[in-house]
Amino acid sequence: IIAAYNVSIGVPPDPVRVLPGGQQDVMPLITSTGRLAGTWSMSLDTSGLPVNWTLVDLNPSASNGVQIGVGATWSPTLRVSAPQEALGTDSGFVTITMTLDSDQNVTQTAILAIEAERTRGLSLRGADGTPISNGVGIPGESAAAWILVENLGNAPEDISLQWNGTAWGSDITLHDSTGQEVSPLTLAPNEIRELTARINVPLTASLGDNVST
């Protein structure tokens, strides 16, 4: 038996993804599936959103007392906004409820999933702010070059740095400020790490010898 009054609420099958500091408009598709036309009103529960995220109805006055004919559709425009500091791990949801004006007990709900769009980027620079760093060492010990590594993305990153081989070999290691080797290198969102890249200087090296990678 088809209900006298009923609607379906169509939302995107995948989460709505929003860049940090950005916004995204969503238009759920409300379809009348009952035997009779009805007048409906929409309400939104945004308590499931991450902190400082918002979702607003761009035309709230048009979302009350909406007459939807049998088999007809109606779509509101909802705007999702993410804060500038949104992390790639941010996710949440909004509950959309349609209520029949003539009988508050007749309702339909849908969940609109929302998450942050992950951004990625890595900055690698030396002491002069360029992507070049120079180091020194003595034969039989390690030569060390200071570098600054920054995660420009909004999500944690496991970073693997690769090196070209040199005349002194390709066994280059990264170390933190205490001298401990860092492997693997994991950076939180926007984290900056001071590191030294080290390579063993062969005993046969002479003054002025150098390699690069």
Side-chain angles (χ1 to χ4, degrees), residues 143-147 163 172-175 195-199:
W146 183 90
I147 58 174
W163 321 90
I172 300 175
T173 55
L174 296 176
H175 299 258
L195 303 169
T196 54
R198 303 185 183 184
I199 185 171

Side-chain angles (χ1 to χ4, degrees), residues 25 78 84 86 94 121 134 147 158 166:
D25 289 347
L78 310 179
Q84 191 66 49
V94 170
N134 297 309
I147 58 174
D158 292 323
T166 75

Side-chain angles (χ1 to χ4, degrees), residues 135 137 141 143 165-171 199-202 204-206 208-211:
E141 297 187 11
T166 75
W168 295 351
S170 57
D171 187 17
I199 185 171
N200 291 327
V201 182
T204 55
S206 302
D209 286 354
N210 65 86
V211 294

Side-chain angles (χ1 to χ4, degrees), residues 89-108:
T89 52
D90 280 3
S91 64
F93 62 91
V94 170
T95 302
I96 303 171
T97 301
M98 296 296 296
T99 302
L100 184 67
D101 288 2
S102 60
D103 186 348
Q104 300 293 302
N105 293 317
V106 179
T107 64
Q108 285 292 346

Side-chain angles (χ1 to χ4, degrees), residues 8-32:
S8 65
I9 305 173
V11 295
D14 297 320
V16 177
R17 296 182 176 91
V18 187
L19 286 167
Q23 57 190 28
Q24 186 73 33
D25 289 347
V26 187
M27 297 181 65
L29 184 65
I30 315 300
T31 304
S32 174

Side-chain angles (χ1 to χ4, degrees), residues 53-124:
W53 284 64
T54 61
L55 181 142
V56 296
D57 184 351
L58 293 187
N59 191 3
S61 62
S63 298
N64 293 308
V66 182
Q67 179 75 22
I68 309 177
V70 177
T73 62
W74 170 75
S75 290
T77 301
L78 310 179
R79 178 162 293 172
V80 186
S81 298
Q84 191 66 49
E85 68 274 13
L87 299 177
T89 52
D90 280 3
S91 64
F93 62 91
V94 170
T95 302
I96 303 171
T97 301
M98 296 296 296
T99 302
L100 184 67
D101 288 2
S102 60
D103 186 348
Q104 300 293 302
N105 293 317
V106 179
T107 64
Q108 285 292 346
T109 62
I111 300 297
L112 177 65
I114 294 168
E115 65 182 32
E117 183 81 55
R118 290 197 171 199
T119 61
R120 305 188 71 179
L122 184 68
S123 171
L124 182 65

